[in-house]
Amino acid sequence: MKNFIEIVAFHLKLFSRNSYFVWLMLTSTVSLLLLQYLAAYAGGTLDDPYLWRRAAVFGLWSCGTTACGSIGFQRSQGTLLYLLNNRISDQLSLAAVVIPAASFGLLPFPLAYLLGSIMGLNVSIASFLAFVGAVLALWIGAVILDLAIAGIFVLTPRALVYEDIVTLPILFFSGLFHLPGKWMIVEKIGHFVIPISLPIQWLTSSGRFSFVDLAAYFFSLFLWGAGSIILSRYLFREARKSGQLGGIGL
């Protein structure tokens, strides 16, 4: 456990020192906040208390998915082989990359709150404990989801290309952006199959969650958690057989 914590701390330092991750966090959060501000200003809905929260959620997910693309970066640098071959398991080695990325993604929440306050948006929080709980649930869901996606990317040398492909569709079906009425069924299904879906709903709506909501959240965590473990074992074995852990590969 000590080795795992040390590796997580090491990768967290690398994330914080890399200007790419810092600017990604800033641009993804600020850009969506400004777009929503313009739309709300035109529509006269600047009192919407969830504008800044949507921007923060988008920023967290954008940072989290960089762990998936970093698999390709580690391969191109020739360090992926050493990253996965150490004293801890492959799954924990992968988690040590994903967790710092998702943790770095927590910074958009205070950033969006501060900018929202400066811009005169409604940044009220009815229950701070409930808000923190929802953010924590979102972070856990993002980590589990990113673990599964990053495991798949171990097998492909084009992970950096596919990183952008998985970002918006998952957010779309998770309900971050309001879907038309006929698509609401997709959002409801997403509660059971996408770990970040319900936390996003808790953060961006005033509705209370029920026992069914909690059951759906934990079911989605189990679904992706168990799937990522089973799938990653197979993918790591295949990656070693094909030599995809070292070099760029085509």
Side-chain angles (χ1 to χ4, degrees):
M1 187 64 181
K2 181 181 178 181
N3 292 333
F4 175 72
I5 295 176
E6 290 175 349
I7 296 174
V8 170
F10 171 75
H11 284 291
L12 187 58
K13 289 180 181 179
L14 291 181
F15 271 93
S16 62
R17 293 173 181 174
N18 193 313
S19 60
Y20 169 77
F21 299 109
V22 175
W23 279 106
L24 177 67
M25 182 270 294
L26 290 173
T27 55
S28 60
T29 305
V30 174
S31 60
L32 188 60
L33 184 62
L34 291 177
L35 285 174
Q36 290 188 103
Y37 178 84
L38 291 176
Y41 182 82
T45 57
L46 287 176
D47 59 340
D48 184 352
Y50 306 113
L51 291 179
W52 71 277
R53 297 189 184 189
R54 295 190 192 98
V57 170
F58 185 74
L60 183 147
W61 181 241
S62 296
C63 291
T65 53
T66 58
C68 307
S70 67
I71 297 299
F73 177 75
Q74 296 284 353
R75 177 186 286 106
S76 67
Q77 295 295 306
T79 57
L80 182 60
L81 180 64
Y82 306 102
L83 177 67
L84 296 178
N85 287 278
N86 51 54
R87 288 178 292 179
I88 62 178
S89 68
D90 292 339
Q91 287 74 25
L92 287 178
S93 297
L94 193 63
V97 179
V98 172
I99 290 176
S103 299
F104 197 73
L106 292 173
L107 293 178
F109 281 93
L111 174 63
Y113 181 88
L114 177 62
L115 291 178
S117 300
I118 296 175
M119 296 166 65
L121 298 176
N122 183 357
V123 293
S124 60
I125 300 176
S127 174
F128 183 75
L129 289 178
F131 174 77
V132 171
V135 172
L136 180 61
L138 175 65
W139 178 81
I140 294 174
V143 168
I144 296 298
L145 195 56
D146 287 336
L147 276 173
I149 299 172
I152 297 174
F153 284 177
V154 167
L155 203 59
T156 173
R158 300 180 178 86
L160 285 171
V161 178
Y162 299 144
E163 176 186 319
D164 293 333
I165 297 177
V166 302
T167 303
L168 290 178
I170 291 179
L171 283 180
F172 179 80
F173 292 115
S174 297
L176 179 62
F177 310 107
H178 294 299
L179 299 177
K182 63 180 181 180
W183 288 94
M184 288 301 296
I185 185 63
V186 176
E187 185 175 325
K188 292 181 179 179
I189 295 175
H191 294 343
F192 289 89
V193 296
I194 303 178
I196 64 173
S197 180
L198 275 169
I200 288 177
Q201 177 184 311
W202 299 337
L203 285 168
T204 58
S205 69
S206 57
R208 296 181 178 181
F209 59 87
S210 63
F211 175 79
V212 176
D213 293 331
L214 287 176
Y217 172 70
F218 285 110
F219 174 78
S220 64
L221 287 181
F222 172 79
L223 182 68
W224 282 90
S228 65
I229 293 175
I230 296 172
L231 186 60
S232 62
R233 288 176 179 173
Y234 167 77
L235 292 173
F236 287 136
R237 185 170 62 250
E238 292 300 311
R240 286 189 171 90
K241 288 181 180 178
S242 62
Q244 290 290 347
L245 292 183
I248 298 178
L250 293 173

